[in-house]
Amino acid sequence: MLELSSTLSSHFRFLLQSLTEANADSVFRELFQVGYAPDYLFLLQTILRTDPQGAVNFALMMSQMEGGCPVDYNTITDLFLQRNLIREATAFLLDVLKPNLPEHAFLQTKVLEINLVTFPNVADAILANGMFSHYDRPRIAQLCEKAGLYVRALQHYTELPDIKRVIVNTHAIEPQVCVVYYIYLFVLQIIGF
């Protein structure tokens, strides 16, 4: 029994070391051939403790596996966020959310939320690139306003009271943008909105 335990321990150490290196695909192919079904969540948690960037690489590798990712994207993101690894969570989400699918609306909102609260310039860049289109626009508008990204907030708000509240922040909005929104508000008043 002791011999089996030490053999498993050495195999596990080899597996962890190999997973943090570039040859993780070949390691998994070999493991599957011998009938080993890894606990991906446990492996990710273990790698995350010592090598956050290696954990991002491992999570991305899992996301590209045949048959789909064995661990839910939200669970992976939460593991990064529990350790306050916002940059790593963002890197992971930006990669896996590239297809801009409607079923990823929650995760699109989540990556924008965490960055609007901690790194507004990153969220601003994500929004500027137009990477996502399925996120919760009213929620993101509120967070943009709180973060001082007034132009982004104006781009997301659709209700007149919200637009009026934000547009008064002329100190932080370029004059051209203010003129466009003032004309918009003027036209709305003329047509009776």
Side-chain angles (χ1 to χ4, degrees):
M1 182 69 168
L2 183 60
E3 184 179 311
L4 178 63
S5 175
S6 91
T7 303
L8 288 175
S9 177
S10 65
H11 287 296
F12 184 71
R13 281 193 304 271
F14 167 76
L15 175 64
L16 282 179
Q17 179 182 359
S18 299
L19 291 177
T20 58
E21 296 171 0
N23 59 349
D25 288 334
S26 62
V27 170
F28 279 116
R29 252 184 263 113
E30 289 178 33
L31 289 172
F32 287 134
Q33 287 176 356
V34 296
Y36 177 74
D39 181 348
Y40 292 100
L41 183 59
F42 176 74
L43 290 172
L44 179 62
Q45 290 170 324
T46 305
I47 296 169
L48 193 57
R49 286 187 201 116
T50 58
D51 184 9
Q53 186 54 50
V56 171
N57 296 338
F58 180 65
L60 290 173
M61 188 269 313
M62 285 192 303
S63 73
Q64 298 167 0
M65 293 178 74
E66 287 183 33
C69 188
V71 179
D72 179 62
Y73 291 164
N74 195 45
T75 302
I76 293 171
T77 303
D78 286 344
L79 287 176
F80 286 112
L81 295 178
Q82 287 169 2
R83 289 173 176 74
N84 204 26
L85 298 170
I86 294 164
R87 294 176 201 273
E88 289 80 359
T90 300
F92 168 72
L93 286 173
L94 289 179
D95 196 276
V96 299
L97 298 177
K98 279 181 188 173
N100 193 21
L101 303 172
E103 58 264 25
H104 291 151
F106 174 77
L107 291 172
Q108 289 180 1
T109 304
K110 189 173 201 166
V111 72
L112 290 169
E113 281 177 336
I114 61 175
N115 282 287
L116 281 166
V117 171
T118 55
F119 302 111
N121 58 331
V122 173
D124 188 36
I126 294 169
L127 291 168
N129 287 331
M131 297 177 65
F132 305 138
S133 56
H134 304 288
Y135 56 91
D136 182 348
R137 293 182 70 82
R139 173 74 178 135
I140 296 307
Q142 291 172 346
L143 290 173
C144 285
E145 184 179 356
K146 286 180 183 176
L149 299 174
Y150 299 115
V151 174
R152 295 282 177 226
L154 286 170
Q155 292 170 345
H156 287 80
Y157 279 132
T158 57
E159 299 296 320
L160 194 55
D162 295 325
I163 294 169
K164 285 181 177 179
R165 184 184 62 250
V166 174
I167 199 69
V168 298
N169 294 290
T170 55
H171 65 283
I173 301 174
E174 293 181 21
Q176 305 90 308
V177 175
C178 286
V179 169
V180 169
Y181 275 96
Y182 285 131
I183 292 170
Y184 174 70
L185 292 174
F186 180 72
V187 169
L188 286 178
Q189 282 186 335
I190 290 175
I191 61 174
F193 275 87

